[in-house]
Amino acid sequence: MKSKILVTGGLGFIGSHTVVALQEQGFDVVIIDNLSNSSLDVLAGIMKITQISPEFENIDLRDKEAVVNFFEKYPKIIGVIHFAASKAVGESVENPLLYYENNLTSLIYLLKELSQKDEANFIFSSSCTVYGQADTLPISENAPVKKAESPYGNTKQIGEEIIQDSCKVYPQISAISLRYFNPIGAHPSGEIGELPIGTPQNLVPFITQTAIGKREQLSVFGNDYPTIDGTCVRDYIHVMDLARAHVIALKSLLEDKLEKNYDVFNLGTGKGNSVLEVIESFERVSGKKLSYKIVDRREGDITAAYADTHKANSELNWKAEHSLDEALKSAWEWEKRVAQIEKEE
């Protein structure tokens, strides 16, 4: 029986692109997804791109028995990339218990199973939200982890602590937490991309949906921040760069290249862009004029965050290669393809 890599949340935005990148590097992938914020259409998109059908299990990772049964069915899992989680800052403020249950219970059940293996390699989908509003920019991995601004951010902080504590007790588990900044864009084939169910919580899909006519107007949350133009600044990284980083990190664990069995890395471009700069970039690459309005600040939002990526550059030999314009152009091509599919249906 061939060794396998488990990708949880593998039909989600970042997960699906990472599955493609893994398959293109020859990995045998099995996906777990409960389809709460994804669709089986994504599985078809992955197959179209790679000509390979990954194994798929519809499992809710909060179901302990289902997790135990999964690892009994797939005893050759040697690596896990864990994306499955609720991820909207605003929603987490409104519904904190959902976030704590979903994001932490699933992590604990996975680590319990991995702790029983002779060897286990684990990559955690973490977030720059663990830094809160950092004292200095760009943000390095040595920046203090401050009290989280939202329950979502707190689940990532606690998640990292759970993994670190587990690695101390179970040396057979090697783990990396990848703290990424703001993933955007889509696969160049147009077969997969970011497809939020309901109203988008992130900026770029809201931009593309407004441009295509699904949304009447884009809301810009606050223009009185101490930034270049008063709007929030973030580090927007192309999802293709992000997917490649997960494959490189996994290989580093499998080849035992890291000095310790737990480490953290920032993934970003190293450059911050304001909300208005993102809008300008989108208008430039799409040729579309966006309808937007300035509204009140959103609870849980920080002023600015962008990455110091030197550690990932040097220790993982990875760096972001795609520009903001490229990422937004791919997101727009994806949105147009989704609209075409919906029209045909």
Side-chain angles (χ1 to χ4, degrees):
M1 193 184 289
K2 200 173 170 186
S3 296
K4 292 181 183 293
I5 305 301
L6 165 63
V7 180
T8 74
L11 298 185
F13 174 40
I14 309 169
S16 59
H17 289 78
T18 301
V19 169
V20 167
L22 286 165
Q23 290 187 330
E24 289 176 342
Q25 289 292 309
F27 287 100
D28 195 11
V29 178
V30 56
I31 293 170
I32 284 179
D33 203 298
N34 69 355
L35 304 177
S36 63
N37 195 34
S38 58
S39 158
L40 282 175
D41 293 341
V42 180
L43 195 60
I46 292 170
M47 289 166 60
K48 277 187 183 175
I49 295 167
T50 65
Q51 305 299 308
I52 301 166
S53 175
E55 292 178 81
F56 170 70
E57 299 284 344
N58 186 342
I59 290 172
D60 190 322
L61 291 169
R62 292 171 293 185
D63 181 342
K64 187 177 184 180
E65 188 178 349
V67 176
V68 171
N69 292 341
F70 171 84
F71 279 92
E72 286 176 356
K73 182 177 178 180
Y74 295 95
K76 294 287 188 180
I77 296 285
I78 59 164
V80 177
I81 304 181
H82 182 42
F83 293 106
S86 301
K87 62 175 187 174
V89 169
E91 183 186 51
S92 79
V93 173
E94 294 164 10
N95 198 346
L97 294 181
L98 168 72
Y99 273 67
Y100 288 119
E101 180 193 26
N102 196 35
N103 294 8
L104 299 179
T105 305
S106 58
L107 173 63
I108 290 165
Y109 290 164
L110 284 170
L111 290 171
K112 274 191 168 183
E113 294 306 306
L114 296 183
S115 71
Q116 298 172 42
K117 288 181 165 289
D118 294 333
E119 177 200 352
N121 301 283
F122 190 81
I123 293 180
F124 181 55
S125 168
S126 192
S127 166
C128 65
T129 56
V130 302
Y131 298 115
Q133 181 59 67
D135 297 325
T136 57
L137 294 169
I139 303 167
S140 81
E141 291 83 354
N142 295 323
V145 172
K146 294 186 171 183
K147 180 171 171 53
E149 300 278 337
S150 68
Y152 165 73
N154 203 24
T155 66
K156 293 302 181 184
Q157 289 183 0
I158 297 167
E160 287 193 10
E161 289 167 2
I162 290 169
I163 297 163
Q164 189 168 14
D165 289 343
S166 299
C167 287
K168 285 176 187 169
V169 179
Y170 306 108
Q172 71 271 33
I173 300 178
S174 295
I176 289 175
S177 289
L178 295 176
R179 295 172 174 169
Y180 25 91
F181 283 65
N182 291 65
I184 61 171
H187 194 274
S189 67
E191 294 291 348
I192 56 173
E194 189 169 8
L195 190 60
I197 292 173
T199 305
Q201 300 288 329
N202 297 330
L203 175 63
V204 171
F206 214 111
I207 285 176
T208 58
Q209 288 190 11
T210 303
I212 207 82
K214 281 186 187 175
R215 308 283 161 196
E216 197 174 317
Q217 200 169 46
L218 171 71
S219 293
V220 175
F221 297 103
N223 66 344
D224 57 349
Y225 287 95
T227 61
I228 187 171
D229 54 26
T231 63
C232 289
V233 168
R234 298 289 183 269
D235 186 337
Y236 294 94
I237 177 171
H238 198 306
V239 68
M240 296 298 291
D241 284 326
L242 207 51
R244 185 168 47 84
H246 286 78
V247 178
I248 292 169
L250 179 67
K251 284 183 175 179
S252 295
L253 291 179
L254 293 172
E255 295 165 11
D256 207 19
K257 286 182 178 176
L258 301 182
E259 291 179 10
K260 44 195 175 181
N261 74 329
Y262 178 73
D263 212 342
V264 300
F265 294 92
N266 285 340
L267 297 180
T269 65
K271 182 179 185 299
N273 289 103
S274 73
V275 175
L276 291 182
E277 284 177 329
V278 174
I279 290 171
E280 288 163 14
S281 172
F282 177 80
E283 290 180 338
R284 185 167 56 249
V285 300
S286 69
K288 303 280 286 186
K289 196 74 181 161
L290 271 180
S291 172
Y292 68 89
K293 63 176 178 178
I294 308 295
V295 299
D296 290 341
R297 290 186 182 193
R298 182 171 55 179
E299 192 176 354
D301 276 344
I302 58 173
T303 301
Y306 53 97
D308 180 334
T309 62
H310 285 95
K311 186 177 178 185
N313 299 160
S314 60
E315 294 185 29
L316 294 179
N317 197 25
W318 168 92
K319 71 173 183 176
E321 296 173 353
H322 295 86
S323 68
L324 179 65
D325 280 7
E326 287 173 313
L328 290 167
K329 191 172 191 313
S330 68
W332 178 231
E333 294 303 320
W334 162 247
E335 188 67 63
K336 289 191 288 186
R337 176 165 169 74
V338 170
Q340 184 62 37
I341 292 167
E342 288 174 350
K343 190 178 176 183
E344 289 168 1
E345 289 174 350

